[in-house]
Amino acid sequence: MSKLPLWLRIAGNSAASLILGFLVLPILAVVPASFNKASFIYLPPRAYSGVWYERFLEDVEWRTSLLNSLQVATLATVVAVILGTLAAIGLRRLEGRWRAGITALFLAPMIVPVVVTAVALYRSALDVGLSGSILGMSLGHMILALPFVVINVGIALRGVDENWIKAASGLGAGPWTVFRTITLPNITPGIVGGAVFSFITSFDEVVVAVFLAGYSNKTLPVKIWESIRLEFTPVIAVAATMMIVLAIVLFLVAQLVSSRREISTQ
Amino acid sequence: MKNAGLPLRLEGVSKRYGTYTALTPTDLSVAAGEFLTLLGPSGSGKTTLLNLIAGYLEPTSGRIEIGSRDVTGLPARQRNIGMVFQSYALFPHMTVGQNIGYGLAVRGVPKAESARRVAEVLSLMQLEGYANRPIQKMSGGQQQRVALARALIIEPDVLLMDEPLSALDKQLRRAVQLELRRLHQEHGRTTIYVTHDQEEALVLSDRIAVMDRGRIQQLGSVDEIYDRPANAFVAGFIGESNLLPAKVNDMAGGKATAEVEAFRRTMVVQAAAGVEPGQTARLLLRPEHLLFNKTDDGVPAEIVETVYLGELSQYSLALESGHVLTARQITDRSLRKGMKVTLSWDPIHARVVPEN
Ligand SMILES: Nc1ncnc2c1ncn2[C@@H]1O[C@H](COP(=O)(O)OP(=O)(O)OP(=O)(O)O)[C@@H](O)[C@H]1O
Ligand SMILES: [Mg+2]
């Protein structure tokens, strides 16, 4: 990089900054928007206040949608982490050609258009009576989140030396003890990463949620989407800000966990 | 820690991968307290044999016994075997003490007793005070000793080591070899040791099994293998050797009448088992057994190269037949390149061995 001429470096850095700004600024714009005093979104706000945050928390519908989202995301994450971790471990044991094929199946939810998945889930949820339920949405989101866990844990597993497993079992440890004391501690960063991606995938997912939400169990994104068609109030910006903050916090947690791990393995 | 381990017996143990045979059916008996080394080139099946004994691989055929126990079908965790891996395979998320104590922890040994025994092994390995160090902060040589300590603390019936010193530099390797020998002399546990390095094998072993192409080519004491190699592969692999084609015309009383084209003569030489009339075998002459004669007796040769190795020198000698032999002798400055000499040897040092 340092070998490039100065003008090229400046041009390159400027282009990168512009692209980054283009990507990030519209998102960050909702943060000041949420502090509007007026009942209409002005940017920048003419006067600041936290009144819309109060409104958000007072409104039962907004509040329950937030709680629904947290519930759905938590349940989806827990199930995706357990199944995805097991799947990643199983995939690693398979022989080459089987592994490639079955991995593709597990990653399919990332590639299949979400709306297709949503329609399919809508139909099946009706059949099994899960339509409009928290559980139905959680399982739908779990399917979307699964690939992130399979990928993250799969990468972490590549760092687990087969000889550690052999050594541990030779020293008398059964398969479960080996997993708990050797494999698990070494793939924790991958599991945490997968969990964060899962949670965020579910928390801001709208298509599957719209199909499965029903009347009473709206998630936050569904509520935002509905509200924005009726009125354009700063409460929407409040909700969006909350989602951004949550995403940032989760990514920081993931970073912290993986950097801890790197320090300790240096 | 006083425990000589148990004897080990293999009966017809083999391992195939599809159509490829990594280990041909092999019989092997190792006495309690014995130090046996598996020596052989890459791909000869040493690790395969070790993994079969440890229970990391399932044999295609055969039986494995430790003491009087048939362990053939048992998983590794029930065999009470200590294994030291080439890469050490230390657990990176644990301290030195936790690594060493792992085998005790999974056996449910109480914390206090475990701590005491870890301390004991640490001092045996001259690693006092390192118990709380992260494993990554240990040097290569220290990690090697931790790996050995982790294997020894469970008081294994058999100790297996797969090229445990190959990651160390030469000087350190020599020191650890002597250390291993001391440990074995003190605690005498049944040990099977894999190495590429014949010098290492000579330093450590009671007996050596020379392996090639999935087969134990010869099993014996260091002397036996060096003085009476079973075939040309063993002769060529252990030590330096001159191996000349020899056509066997007759066999009688352990001696072969062989035409040695390199010398253009027929000779009567002692022969290894498996040498048969009509066969093309090899005449083995070790470089240190070739003598230079002052007289005209013997095989005429010309010195084509001399290499001073200090006290000893190595000479390359071209025979009239065109074959080149290597001789090694106390350095004699009067022997120079281009000189004509005659060669002889004590007949007890010549030996006909089968091709393979
Ligand atoms: N899983 C496997 N599938 C097919 N072939 C294998 C497998 N494992 C080992 N082999 C083959 O078996 C042969 C013996 O391997 P092994 O690891 O025992 O050799 P080694 O004597 O330990 O060699 P090195 O000195 O290089 O470690 C090799 O040719 C190897 O390619
Ligand atoms: Mg090997």
Side-chain angles (χ1 to χ4, degrees):
Chain A
M1 193 71 188
S2 57
K3 281 179 193 142
L4 294 174
L6 185 64
W7 69 268
L8 201 59
R9 257 186 291 156
I10 292 176
N13 287 344
S14 315
S17 309
L18 278 175
I19 293 169
L20 195 67
F22 180 75
L23 290 174
V24 170
L25 285 179
I27 298 172
L28 290 185
V30 306
V31 178
S34 71
F35 288 102
N36 261 295
K37 191 166 185 182
S39 61
F40 190 77
I41 295 179
Y42 292 104
L43 252 182
R46 295 180 181 171
Y48 290 89
S49 90
V51 65
W52 297 105
Y53 282 81
E54 272 168 46
R55 189 67 57 82
F56 180 95
L57 294 173
E58 280 162 6
D59 187 323
V60 175
E61 274 204 33
W62 281 109
R63 230 171 39 218
T64 43
S65 73
L66 175 62
L67 291 178
N68 284 343
S69 271
L70 289 173
Q71 265 187 65
V72 169
T74 305
L75 198 58
T77 301
V78 169
V79 180
V81 162
I82 293 172
L83 293 186
T85 302
L86 291 177
I89 291 171
L91 286 171
R92 211 177 130 73
R93 294 204 182 149
L94 285 179
E95 280 177 41
R97 66 206 146 102
W98 285 103
R99 190 193 295 179
I102 297 179
T103 304
L105 275 182
F106 273 104
L107 302 191
M110 284 174 90
I111 297 147
V112 176
V114 179
V115 71
V116 173
T117 309
V119 171
L121 284 172
Y122 177 65
R123 188 69 192 77
S124 332
L126 282 179
D127 286 348
V128 294
L130 283 176
S131 182
S133 71
I134 296 282
L135 183 62
M137 272 190 290
S138 304
L139 293 180
H141 284 173
M142 184 275 287
I143 290 171
L144 299 181
L146 205 55
F148 293 105
V149 181
V150 172
I151 289 173
N152 272 285
V153 175
I155 290 170
L157 276 171
R158 273 186 243 155
V160 176
D161 187 340
E162 204 52 42
N163 283 332
W164 300 342
I165 311 285
K166 279 176 152 190
S169 63
L171 289 166
W176 169 245
T177 308
V178 173
F179 176 75
R180 193 171 48 77
T181 58
I182 309 294
T183 311
L184 193 57
N186 284 291
I187 61 171
T188 303
I191 292 179
V192 171
V196 166
F197 277 115
S198 296
F199 197 93
I200 291 170
T201 298
S202 166
F203 199 72
D204 74 359
E205 204 284 334
V206 71
V207 181
V208 169
V210 163
F211 275 82
L212 294 181
Y215 294 109
S216 49
N217 287 319
K218 288 166 198 153
T219 60
L220 193 55
V222 174
K223 174 70 179 153
I224 292 176
W225 183 74
E226 278 185 8
S227 316
I228 212 159
R229 291 165 44 192
L230 298 177
E231 44 170 358
F232 198 56
T233 88
V235 177
I236 293 165
V238 168
T241 303
M242 290 185 161
M243 298 186 66
I244 292 170
V245 169
L246 190 92
I248 291 173
V249 167
L250 285 176
F251 270 111
L252 288 179
V253 168
Q255 283 297 312
L256 203 70
V257 169
S258 60
S259 67
R260 272 262 174 80
R261 187 61 51 164
E262 266 158 34
I263 289 166
S264 76
T265 53
Q266 260 167 15
Chain B
M1 292 283 290
K2 203 86 188 169
N3 166 6
L6 294 174
L8 171 77
R9 222 157 61 85
L10 271 64
E11 256 180 44
V13 173
S14 74
K15 181 68 190 175
R16 272 205 305 274
Y17 294 106
T19 57
Y20 181 80
T21 304
L23 187 71
T24 58
T26 296
D27 296 324
L28 178 66
S29 283
V30 187
E34 187 180 5
F35 197 116
L36 176 80
T37 296
L38 306 180
L39 183 62
S42 200
S44 56
K46 307 182 296 293
T47 299
T48 303
L49 181 52
L50 224 52
N51 281 333
L52 287 165
I53 296 169
Y56 299 130
L57 280 179
E58 247 182 80
T60 307
S61 71
R63 249 168 75 88
I64 302 172
E65 270 176 29
I66 298 173
S68 54
R69 198 161 62 118
D70 181 348
V71 299
T72 315
L74 290 185
R77 67 172 187 280
Q78 289 170 18
R79 295 196 183 190
N80 201 35
I81 281 179
M83 176 99 169
V84 179
F85 295 82
Q86 181 171 2
S87 56
Y88 311 145
L90 294 169
F91 308 133
H93 55 297
M94 296 184 187
T95 63
V96 169
Q98 287 168 333
N99 263 279
I100 296 176
Y102 187 84
L104 300 181
V106 299
R107 281 168 169 71
V109 173
K111 282 238 165 65
E113 191 197 332
S114 167
R116 185 182 58 72
R117 280 169 67 181
V118 168
E120 199 179 296
V121 177
L122 280 171
S123 90
L124 178 72
M125 295 291 159
Q126 296 164 353
L127 288 169
E128 287 102 335
Y130 285 106
N132 293 319
R133 278 257 195 133
I135 209 73
Q136 288 86 6
K137 298 250 159 75
M138 304 291 275
S139 72
Q142 290 172 328
Q143 291 193 9
Q144 204 282 325
R145 277 181 281 163
V146 174
L148 183 57
R150 185 179 67 178
L152 283 177
I153 202 167
I154 62 167
E155 309 209 345
D157 296 326
V158 178
L159 179 63
L160 305 176
M161 296 193 252
D162 195 352
E163 305 194 34
L165 308 187
S166 61
L168 305 180
D169 65 51
K170 198 164 179 187
Q171 226 171 347
L172 192 52
R173 195 155 31 168
R174 191 55 43 83
V176 180
Q177 278 169 19
L178 297 177
E179 186 69 15
L180 283 177
R181 199 168 66 167
R182 175 182 72 83
L183 279 172
H184 186 255
Q185 280 163 356
E186 277 171 31
H187 299 282
R189 198 175 298 275
T190 314
T191 302
I192 302 182
Y193 188 95
V194 168
T195 182
H196 271 110
D197 180 345
Q198 50 167 297
E199 213 175 305
E200 192 164 296
L202 301 183
V203 170
L204 292 170
S205 326
D206 295 322
R207 286 193 301 164
I208 297 177
V210 181
M211 294 189 69
D212 187 38
R213 288 173 293 154
R215 193 186 296 277
I216 295 182
Q217 302 286 340
Q218 187 172 6
L219 174 64
S221 70
V222 173
D223 300 350
E224 273 167 12
I225 286 185
Y226 191 81
D227 296 338
R228 296 190 291 284
N231 59 38
F233 172 80
V234 175
F237 195 73
I238 306 285
E240 305 258 336
S241 37
N242 297 297
L243 286 162
L244 301 167
K247 189 161 177 306
V248 180
N249 290 334
D250 194 23
M251 277 292 298
K255 299 218 167 194
T257 308
E259 264 173 60
V260 183
E261 181 246 322
F263 300 141
R264 293 180 177 153
R265 57 173 88 169
T266 299
M267 329 183 354
V268 176
V269 195
Q270 56 176 333
V275 174
E276 278 161 27
Q279 208 182 32
T280 301
R282 295 270 173 170
L283 175 70
L284 166 67
L285 284 169
R286 298 278 185 197
E288 66 272 25
H289 294 144
L290 283 175
L291 308 171
F292 295 101
N293 291 353
K294 305 285 181 226
T295 66
D296 282 348
D297 288 354
V299 179
E302 181 186 330
I303 300 178
V304 291
E305 200 189 343
T306 64
V307 180
Y308 292 102
L309 306 169
E311 202 179 337
L312 291 179
S313 286
Q314 183 163 303
Y315 303 91
S316 296
L317 301 150
L319 304 179
E320 285 170 347
S321 60
H323 286 264
V324 176
L325 298 185
T326 302
R328 197 176 294 157
Q329 302 242 319
I330 303 283
T331 298
D332 177 350
R333 300 274 175 189
S334 70
L335 294 170
R336 291 180 192 283
K337 193 170 159 176
M339 272 177 67
K340 307 267 189 210
V341 294
T342 59
L343 298 172
S344 65
W345 53 88
D346 185 331
I348 65 164
H349 288 138
R351 186 175 170 81
V352 172
V353 294
E355 195 72 65
N356 252 320

